[in-house]
Amino acid sequence: MPATTKTNFQLVSNGILNDNPIFRLALSMCPAVGISTTVMNGIMLGIAVLFVQVFSSCTIALIKDHIHPRIRIPTYTLTIATWVTVIDLVLAAYMPAAYKEMGIFVKLIVAFAIITMRLEVFACKNSVPASFWDGIGMGLGFMAGMVAIGFVRELLGMGTILGYDVLGFRPLLFFVLPAAGFFCVGIMMAMFNYMELVYNRKKKG
Amino acid sequence: MKILGRKYLLLNILLIICLFLIGGCKPEHRFVKKTAFKDTNKIVIEFAGPVDETWAKNRSNYTACEKPDPDIRLKIIDVSLSADKKKATLVFADDLNKNQPHVVTATKISSEGKSLGTAILNVKKFYLGYLFSILIGAMIINNFVFTKYLGLCVFFGVSQKKSTAVGMGITFTLVIVASAMMSWFIYQFVLQPYRLDFLQIVVFIGLVSLSVQAVDTILRKVNPLLFKAFGVYLVLVIANCIIIAVPLILADNEYNAWESLMLSLGAGLGFLIALFLMSSVRERLELANVPPTYRGLPIAFVLAGLFALSFLGFSGMSIF
């Protein structure tokens, strides 16, 4: 892929819609299933991923000319690991409650395929500003996916949104169960597919 | 020189691993030889040399708690010392829950008038059944895929065919045991003594990539046939979050060598089980009439949800 010609806005919207990490690329599914029980969790982990993605994209875009192609993957991994350590320590120091809620998943950002993939596909071929916007788009896309799943699960499972009581009763307690994450993601993916199908049919006329 | 030959390479490696496992089971303080549970409400601490009676008999020198709740101090009602002054027995007011590891702190151990510093001791039930329960726990009760939701990318990626699923599962088990033991070693003997805990993510991910590369090279040279069968999966192993989660869990819980071995083995075998179950169902699914919008990943997710629900039935189960 040659250097991108897209505008910054296109880069961001690409991450949120066309290449949504969770629903379209189907990468980094573990947190999407594991801790998407509430909207707040989704936002917190989304912010963490956003930071790691943006910082490591920028770092790689900065030093891309000095990386030997044969050792590029270890370089990416170490860069990501460094930024994850930073985020991990910052969260543990300033937001201990949220950090405890997310458990091991903050540390596991290091193994999220989406970040490595963006570095490999985008950041190592593009300038720093473009990589920055691409990182923002991907991070926001991930956050949007997490929030969407969290919204459904929190509303159906506990009848609340962000902790505020909306429905006043608990429609389907089942959705609080961790296993419901799989169902939720599966059904939402199917909905995305359906929307695409309808959209394409309309386009054809 | 024959014993150093290629034929014995595997044996030698095994021997080294065994030695290092035995070495890994030492308690945490140089002056403490052994700690163990006794009866229903006693903990025995065995020292390397005689300790001072006045120190040993003073109850306020010891604090004890269950590892998960360090805030709840267990009440010690009596301390007795054996005749050779090497064995102190702590008697507790209530019965101890032996399924939980306990932490006993002995402040300023004093022996023959000298102070030997404070010892923080982990007291655990040590017998094969306990290790076995860790293994089964990681394998089935707390299956990493279905109850902890880790390693899903690879799980959905390679569970289309039974043969690939088994190949991936076996490769993964081998690599995870090797890398988890290495990370355990580095964590216990390098990171912790030098207070470099904050580097654990960087070090562990480096170790994992290293061990994947090592297995790749060794397998290519030693057994090309096996490499042909399993080489493709090695690249995927590193994309699996379980392989980085296990060393982190080991470091968090401060498991000893045997427990680490069991947990990593259980994690690997659990992944193999999950992959095998899933691939068996997905092979059948090829023949089923699935609605077009659900084809591919969405239906796989719903399936995994059903599996997760059934695995929920194991939760809370305890063996022994």
Side-chain angles (χ1 to χ4, degrees):
Chain A
M1 194 170 85
T4 184
T5 50
K6 285 178 182 163
T7 61
N8 295 342
F9 177 75
Q10 275 170 331
L11 283 173
V12 174
S13 69
N14 176 49
I16 297 176
L17 293 173
N18 292 0
D19 280 349
N20 188 299
I22 291 182
F23 294 116
R24 299 306 301 268
L25 303 179
L27 291 169
S28 21
M29 304 307 311
C30 313
V33 174
I35 55 162
S36 59
T37 41
T38 60
V39 177
M40 203 55 211
N41 276 352
I43 294 176
M44 291 305 296
L45 196 72
I47 291 173
V49 169
L50 181 74
F51 270 97
V52 175
Q53 177 77 68
V54 168
F55 281 129
S56 31
S57 278
C58 290
T59 316
I60 291 297
L62 259 181
I63 58 171
K64 61 177 182 288
D65 300 332
H66 307 286
I67 304 173
H68 192 280
R70 276 188 68 185
I71 56 152
R72 65 182 198 288
I73 299 288
T75 318
Y76 297 161
T77 317
L78 283 182
T79 313
I80 299 169
T82 314
W83 285 115
V84 171
T85 309
V86 172
I87 298 293
D88 185 57
L89 293 177
V90 168
L91 279 183
Y94 291 104
M95 297 172 181
Y99 180 74
K100 216 173 174 187
E101 185 98 342
M102 288 187 284
I104 199 167
F105 277 104
V106 180
K107 287 177 178 159
L108 285 184
I109 293 176
V110 76
F112 283 8
I114 176 70
I115 299 175
T116 321
M117 181 222 148
R118 276 338 271 184
L119 297 186
E120 168 79 11
V121 173
F122 196 90
C124 70
K125 289 163 193 135
N126 288 292
S127 63
V128 177
S131 305
F132 175 80
W133 289 111
D134 181 67
I136 295 254
M138 280 295 148
L140 284 180
F142 177 82
M143 201 200 284
M146 287 291 289
V147 168
I149 302 170
F151 181 83
V152 172
R153 285 182 73 179
E154 195 177 347
L155 188 71
L156 291 182
M158 296 193 276
T160 59
I161 293 296
L162 281 171
Y164 295 105
D165 212 330
V166 182
L167 294 180
F169 65 103
R170 296 172 154 204
L172 278 167
L173 203 57
F174 166 71
F175 275 90
V176 187
L177 285 184
F182 282 115
F183 289 105
C184 227
V185 175
I187 292 169
M188 286 178 92
M189 266 181 172
M191 266 156 55
F192 256 70
N193 284 350
Y194 182 71
M195 284 196 288
E196 197 184 355
L197 213 73
V198 171
Y199 181 74
N200 284 348
R201 216 179 279 158
K202 250 189 199 158
K203 227 179 177 179
K204 265 187 210 159
Chain B
M1 280 312 281
K2 212 174 177 188
I3 198 149
L4 293 173
R6 269 187 76 177
K7 250 186 176 173
Y8 293 95
L9 184 71
L10 205 71
L11 200 79
N12 280 339
I13 291 176
L14 275 179
L15 215 91
I16 291 169
I17 292 175
C18 281
L19 275 177
F20 129 86
L21 282 181
I22 292 164
C25 294
K26 275 190 187 156
E28 290 78 337
H29 193 265
R30 64 200 150 83
F31 199 64
V32 178
K33 257 167 79 184
K34 227 169 86 183
T35 53
F37 288 115
K38 199 183 160 196
D39 297 341
T40 54
N41 63 341
K42 286 174 191 159
I43 286 179
V44 179
I45 306 173
E46 210 173 299
F47 296 101
V51 286
D52 293 343
E53 202 167 347
T54 43
W55 173 83
K57 288 267 173 91
N58 188 352
R59 262 181 292 157
S60 57
N61 281 328
Y62 307 92
T63 53
C65 59
E66 283 183 13
K67 197 157 197 188
D69 340 85
D71 304 330
I72 306 169
R73 291 274 166 84
L74 300 174
K75 207 177 165 212
I76 302 170
I77 46 172
D78 191 30
V79 183
S80 59
L81 199 62
S82 67
D84 59 356
K85 296 186 179 174
K86 281 184 180 176
K87 232 188 216 175
T89 309
L90 312 181
V91 183
F92 291 89
D94 303 307
D95 285 356
L96 301 168
N97 175 10
K98 289 189 189 173
N99 291 322
Q100 291 286 6
H102 286 59
V103 180
V104 176
T105 317
T107 25
K108 291 180 188 155
I109 299 174
S110 125
S111 163
E112 289 156 356
K114 275 184 294 181
S115 172
L116 290 164
T118 301
I120 298 165
L121 310 163
N122 282 306
V123 187
K124 280 172 193 162
K125 201 161 59 157
F126 184 82
Y127 61 95
L128 285 176
Y130 175 61
L131 292 178
F132 188 65
S133 73
I134 291 184
L135 177 74
I136 296 291
M139 210 159 87
I140 293 172
I141 303 169
N142 291 317
N143 187 299
F144 274 80
V145 176
F146 291 133
T147 62
K148 290 192 179 156
Y149 317 106
L150 296 175
L152 296 181
C153 306
V154 179
F155 175 69
F156 286 113
V158 295
S159 62
Q160 261 137 351
K161 266 168 64 189
K162 241 185 249 175
S163 53
T164 48
V166 172
M168 176 70 206
I170 293 173
T171 319
F172 180 72
T173 311
L174 289 179
V175 176
I176 201 173
V177 170
S179 69
M181 292 319 287
M182 261 159 54
S183 346
W184 174 84
F185 184 81
I186 299 274
Y187 182 74
Q188 290 292 325
F189 295 105
V190 181
L191 293 189
Q192 247 192 344
Y194 296 102
R195 311 246 160 134
L196 293 170
D197 302 28
F198 65 92
L199 279 180
Q200 47 175 284
I201 301 173
V202 180
V203 170
F204 290 166
I205 196 99
L207 272 176
V208 169
S209 348
L210 254 180
S211 54
V212 168
Q213 195 60 49
V215 171
D216 188 287
T217 317
I218 293 171
L219 213 60
R220 205 187 287 255
K221 282 267 155 57
V222 175
N223 197 336
L225 257 179
L226 208 65
F227 180 76
K228 228 178 172 181
F230 293 145
V232 255
Y233 307 120
L234 278 172
V235 195
L236 280 175
V237 165
I238 205 164
N240 194 332
C241 349
I242 302 178
I243 206 156
I244 184 79
V246 166
L248 290 172
I249 293 173
L250 294 179
D252 267 359
N253 293 342
E254 304 200 351
Y255 278 146
N256 70 22
W258 286 106
E259 291 162 346
S260 318
L261 182 69
M262 287 300 155
L263 188 85
S264 51
L265 195 63
L269 291 179
F271 191 64
L272 176 62
I273 291 176
L275 271 179
F276 185 75
L277 287 175
M278 191 68 180
S279 61
S280 325
V281 179
R282 277 179 88 173
E283 271 189 358
R284 286 281 184 100
L285 211 62
E286 296 279 297
L287 307 171
N289 186 11
V290 181
T293 44
Y294 272 91
R295 238 164 246 164
L297 267 184
I299 191 74
F301 264 93
V302 175
L303 261 179
L306 290 174
F307 271 121
L309 265 187
S310 54
F311 266 76
L312 212 63
F314 288 118
S315 66
M317 205 167 95
S318 74
I319 308 163
F320 309 113

